[in-house]
Amino acid sequence: MFFHVILTTGCNLQCRYCFGESLDDFDEDFSNDLSVDYSLPKQVAYDVDVLRDFCSKDPDCVLTFYGGEPLLELDSLRQIMDVVTPKWFMMQTNGLLLDKLESKYVNQFHTLLVSVDGEEALTDFYRGTGTFRKVIENLKLIRRNGFEGELIARVTVMEQTDIFQQISFLLENPQFSFSSIHWQLNAGFWGNDYCRRNFKEWSETSYVPGVRRLVDFWVDVMEQKGVVLKLYPILGIAYSLLHDEKVNFLRCGGGWINYAIQTDGYILACPTMWGMGNYYMGHISFSHPLKLEKVFVDRLPCSKCDVLDMCGGRCFYANVTQRWSVDAYREICNTVKALIGDVSAQIPRIKQLIAQGKICLSDFDFVKYNGAEIIP
């Protein structure tokens, strides 16, 4: 099992698509049947030995530090890494404080997912002036100091993003290149934002065509260099198509193999659903990691969708909270269908490259449920 360990609800950034939208969305409440406990402890409030005992019951337990910004809680992070012995440690971070964590800890991570949205100007526009340069310097530092794990660029995408341009930059940036990339559409997560955005036009005229170019480029690289780039949304769909894999649950693993542990020790399907007591699935003090309840997307429009067995429902949080109307959310679904269609169209070409020996089927293997989005 994979568990996102929420170390803190605090963050040292005020990103436009997170903090900024939360201010605009502050007066928008959830439906009457969904309550949120905003009084959760800001830091870990359970005994680390309880987490150790919980994790020890699963020989394949993977712990991913999460926030807020997990590196704001360096002491808790160090204590957990000193006491708990999972199969792997991972972390999702904005990267600004990576230079504050000693190499003996950094180098234990199997995977680091670091938030960078593309070129310096765009990243700083979304995340704050100076963010890009500081993050890149920290990434170069940890590589120099011996970090050999997978380093995933964690990209958030909205209307200011040219997806082809920004992903290409992250692949070819002369300052620092990532070993893999995933991206997440900032869409469907807030209640007030659709009416003030231009999502439909942007997605149809910029995002969808840009993804199509990216898929074409991805296969061109296979043909020209014999390399299957780890662009997770494209890679994950191609893997499923090549293996005739049908998906019954969320592609991120949320609520069936990937869970989150709140600062108070309660377990839920997804870290974005912190405080939603209706969806608590146990507590680390009394639950068994291999016997947790499983959830799946069962609401419209997902439940009647013809690509549900490939998409899996995209996002449990968005499906439960339904912040966008069904018609508005259908615009997101159209981007997912386009992505699946673009990858599907390239499968014959990919199979031909495999038959020619330019690439191997095993080149499409990856660590599933590591926090990288397959369905943006």
Side-chain angles (χ1 to χ4, degrees), residues 236 239-241 243-247 251 309-310 368-369:
Y239 178 95
S240 293
L241 292 169
H243 290 83
D244 295 321
E245 178 185 56
K246 302 297 183 182
V247 178
R251 295 298 298 253
D309 63 356
M310 184 60 61
K368 296 181 179 181
Y369 322 119

Side-chain angles (χ1 to χ4, degrees), residues 247-259 269-270 273 279 281 292-300 302-304 308-309 311-322:
V247 178
N248 297 318
F249 295 95
L250 289 156
R251 295 298 298 253
C252 64
W256 68 280
I257 196 170
N258 202 342
Y259 295 83
C270 170
M273 299 181 72
Y279 293 92
M281 309 177 79
L292 296 171
E293 177 188 354
K294 300 186 186 304
V295 300
F296 58 95
V297 170
D298 60 354
R299 294 190 182 185
L300 292 171
C302 293
S303 59
K304 299 294 184 180
L308 181 60
D309 63 356
C311 168
R314 181 177 178 255
C315 177
F316 189 58
Y317 172 88
N319 190 271
V320 165
T321 59
Q322 297 192 329

Side-chain angles (χ1 to χ4, degrees), residues 20 29 204 264 283 294:
D29 203 0
E204 292 176 349
D264 60 0
H283 191 281
K294 300 186 186 304

Side-chain angles (χ1 to χ4, degrees), residues 128-193:
T129 302
T131 300
F132 177 87
R133 292 194 180 189
K134 177 60 176 174
V135 171
I136 295 301
E137 288 304 312
N138 283 348
L139 295 181
K140 290 192 285 189
L141 173 68
I142 66 171
R143 283 298 196 200
R144 287 198 304 268
N145 289 341
F147 175 70
E148 297 179 349
E150 183 175 5
L151 194 53
I152 304 175
R154 186 173 177 252
V155 178
T156 300
V157 175
M158 54 190 301
E159 281 85 335
Q160 289 75 18
T161 305
D162 179 320
I163 187 69
F164 182 81
Q165 176 183 335
Q166 300 305 328
I167 300 301
S168 298
F169 170 80
L170 291 173
L171 288 171
E172 302 167 0
N173 174 23
Q175 300 179 69
F176 191 90
S177 295
F178 288 86
S179 51
S180 43
I181 298 172
H182 84 97
W183 68 88
Q184 171 70 67
L185 275 174
N186 177 37
F189 302 127
W190 305 95
N192 287 324
D193 68 332

Side-chain angles (χ1 to χ4, degrees), residues 163 185 200-215 331-332 334-339 342:
I163 187 69
L185 275 174
K200 185 176 190 296
E201 181 181 352
W202 168 78
S203 63
E204 292 176 349
T205 63
S206 176
Y207 177 73
V208 168
V211 170
R212 185 171 299 117
R213 286 184 65 196
L214 203 55
V215 173
E331 295 170 16
I332 305 173
N334 289 339
T335 71
V336 175
K337 291 179 179 180
L339 170 61
D342 292 339

Side-chain angles (χ1 to χ4, degrees), residues 32-74:
N32 293 332
D33 62 343
L34 185 61
S35 61
V36 180
D37 180 6
Y38 292 104
S39 64
L40 288 179
K42 189 174 181 180
Q43 296 89 19
V44 168
Y46 52 79
D47 193 306
V48 173
D49 290 341
V50 177
L51 178 62
R52 178 200 61 200
D53 294 343
F54 175 80
C55 188
S56 69
K57 297 172 184 175
D58 176 9
D60 293 319
C61 179
V62 176
L63 297 184
T64 300
F65 294 119
Y66 196 89
E69 172 47 51
L71 289 175
L72 288 173
E73 293 296 316
L74 286 170

